[in-house]
């Protein structure tokens, strides 16, 4: 979970710099890519926690 939050923070910072700094649009694109990676990572970690239900 800490890795997800770190990646999310990096994505937001890169996104803000990419939007605010002129000529740094590539940072916005990298920020979006990091955000997508963070979501995929969260999905795989949450998905693995689910196991077969045992009664």
């Amino acid at each position: 979970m800490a890795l997800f939050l770190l990646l999310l923070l990096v994505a937001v910072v890169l996104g803000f710099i990419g939007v605010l700094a002129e000529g740094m649009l590539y940072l916005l694109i990298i920020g979006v890519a990091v955000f997508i990676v963070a979501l995929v990572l969260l999905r795989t970690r949450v998905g693995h926690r689910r196991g077969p239900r045992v009664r």
Side-chain angles (χ1 to χ4, degrees):
M1 190 65 169
L3 180 61
F4 168 73
L5 293 175
L6 177 67
L7 287 175
L8 188 63
L9 180 66
V10 168
V12 169
V13 168
L14 287 175
F16 279 143
I17 293 173
V19 168
L20 297 178
E22 186 176 331
M24 295 253 193
L25 185 62
Y26 66 93
L27 286 179
L28 176 62
I29 295 169
I30 293 172
V32 169
V34 170
F35 179 71
I36 291 171
V37 168
L39 288 179
V40 169
L41 178 70
L42 181 68
R43 176 68 182 144
T44 58
R45 291 199 182 240
V46 170
H48 285 303
R49 289 187 183 171
R50 290 185 180 174
R53 292 188 178 187
V54 178
R55 290 185 179 205

